[in-house]
Amino acid sequence: MSRRTVLLSVTAAVAALGGAGAFALAYAGEQPPMLEESKARYTAPDGDRDGALVFTTEATASSGVKDVRVLAWPADSPFADKELTAKDMATAEPAVCEPSGEDTARCTYTVAVTAADAAESPRGLWHVAVLARAGDGSTTLNPKATRFNVG
């Protein structure tokens, strides 16, 4: 093989690999947000002191985390038969997100639980649904990101 043929072959291979790498990077940029480390802690009201529901999650999106919405729902609710949709989550409350890495945000949702709230709430297993939206508009919905018990 001539030196010129080898040089052209190497150049073509580098261009092909570079193109594949660029495609992989472009594809990676289009991935929906990822949710990890989702946890909920429920504390019942006690005497004259309110309780609370605290939910945390790590949201990662290469285009940045635009917002995270959270909805707690009882396991025996209608959502158990008809799974939640992004449309259902449109009116869910937002979590507060703080940057915790290059493309990651630590998001926290906290709501006070009064004695009256606790008395009206169904007992038993509850789920927390999470909708994360990235800067590029892509979304991830996890209708059962975590769970907790109301006793």
Side-chain angles (χ1 to χ4, degrees):
M1 231 189 244
S2 73
R3 187 181 260 173
R4 183 175 178 193
T5 304
V6 170
L7 181 60
L8 287 173
S9 295
V10 168
T11 302
V14 167
L17 289 174
F23 174 77
L25 285 175
Y27 181 73
E30 297 173 10
Q31 296 297 311
M34 290 186 345
L35 297 167
E36 297 179 311
E37 304 292 325
S38 297
K39 297 175 185 156
R41 186 180 72 241
Y42 174 79
T43 306
D46 185 17
D48 61 349
R49 197 181 83 227
D50 286 347
L53 170 63
V54 179
F55 170 79
T56 58
T57 192
E58 296 281 332
T60 303
S62 58
S63 62
V65 177
K66 185 171 183 178
D67 70 354
V68 171
R69 299 211 167 253
V70 179
L71 175 68
W73 57 278
D76 61 356
S77 76
F79 293 130
D81 297 327
K82 178 189 172 276
E83 198 154 301
L84 279 162
T85 66
K87 186 177 178 181
D88 295 324
M89 294 293 292
T91 59
E93 295 182 334
V96 175
C97 297
E98 298 290 333
S100 65
E102 186 176 326
D103 300 328
T104 303
R106 180 158 181 81
C107 302
T108 304
Y109 170 77
T110 304
V111 62
V113 179
T114 66
D117 294 334
E120 294 174 6
S121 296
R123 302 286 182 246
L125 182 65
W126 284 61
H127 297 287
V128 178
V130 183
L131 177 68
R133 188 168 41 166
D136 65 4
S138 61
T139 61
T140 294
L141 172 62
N142 185 342
K144 295 180 181 177
T146 192
R147 62 188 182 185
F148 63 95
N149 279 301
V150 173

